[in-house]
Amino acid sequence: MALEWSFPGKKVQFLRIELITVGIIGLLVLILTYLQFSNLLFAFMFTVIFLGIYVVLSYLSQLIRLVEDHYHVTTSHFEVTRKTRFRTRREKVPLKEIRKHKLDHVFLGGYLVSNRKKRHLVYFNTKKELKQFESFLKKHTKK
């Protein structure tokens, strides 16, 4: 039995943590602009301009870097292939060397800590992938 997934998925444009951070910053831009100009129209206009600039820059950086992670987990090992436009890195860790794992169900990410005291980052597209991985880890790692 094996699990495989790629991150980011075809339908994922923005990460959850990214959306929350940009939302908070956008709200701050709205409030501070309104307090400075006392005009709600200017506040909305500057907030829309900020969000537009962010979306364009995010899209361009995704086009330039082309980040892609491929995860493959079997009953014996955990393997990650991280690709960017300029570089490919592979990590392969036996499951028996994983001491601890921490997964975040809100932001769909987490990490594994191996015996080498190294963190291996893990990202998911959906909660379903995260739950499958978590149950797989609980079943096949050493307690």
Side-chain angles (χ1 to χ4, degrees):
M1 183 175 155
L3 285 176
E4 284 190 48
W5 73 95
S6 293
F7 179 84
K10 301 292 182 200
K11 296 179 183 177
V12 175
Q13 296 299 321
F14 297 101
L15 304 176
R16 284 186 179 186
I17 193 164
E18 184 179 16
L19 288 176
I20 290 171
T21 305
V22 170
I24 291 170
I25 294 171
L27 188 62
L28 284 173
V29 168
L30 179 74
I31 292 169
L32 293 175
T33 306
Y34 178 72
L35 290 175
Q36 187 170 8
F37 292 112
S38 298
N39 188 341
L40 202 54
L41 182 62
F42 278 132
F44 280 122
M45 184 176 69
F46 283 116
T47 305
V48 168
I49 289 171
F50 164 74
L51 292 175
I53 290 171
Y54 180 80
V55 167
V56 169
L57 290 178
S58 175
Y59 178 74
L60 289 175
S61 69
Q62 286 177 7
L63 278 179
I64 293 169
R65 281 203 72 210
L66 292 176
V67 175
E68 209 175 307
D69 292 353
H70 296 282
Y71 297 95
H72 182 76
V73 185
T74 65
T75 56
S76 62
H77 68 275
F78 168 76
E79 186 176 351
V80 182
T81 305
R82 299 186 193 282
K83 293 180 184 178
T84 63
R85 181 181 299 269
F86 310 108
R87 183 174 166 184
T88 299
R89 290 184 307 173
R90 287 187 166 76
E91 297 177 12
K92 189 171 183 178
V93 180
L95 284 183
K96 63 184 177 183
E97 287 189 15
I98 294 176
R99 290 186 305 145
K100 178 181 166 184
H101 69 276
K102 175 79 172 155
L103 301 173
D104 189 348
H105 291 268
V106 176
F107 296 122
L108 302 178
Y111 61 88
L112 306 171
V113 179
S114 65
N115 284 341
R116 302 175 208 153
K117 299 197 181 198
K118 185 174 178 188
R119 283 190 181 192
H120 308 280
L121 300 177
V122 185
Y123 304 104
F124 303 95
N125 298 309
T126 62
K127 279 193 176 191
K128 181 182 175 187
E129 288 176 352
L130 186 138
K131 288 184 189 275
Q132 284 178 340
F133 179 70
E134 186 174 37
S135 65
F136 190 89
L137 273 181
K138 286 180 181 177
K139 184 187 282 186
H140 296 288
T141 55
K142 224 182 349 180
K143 303 286 186 230

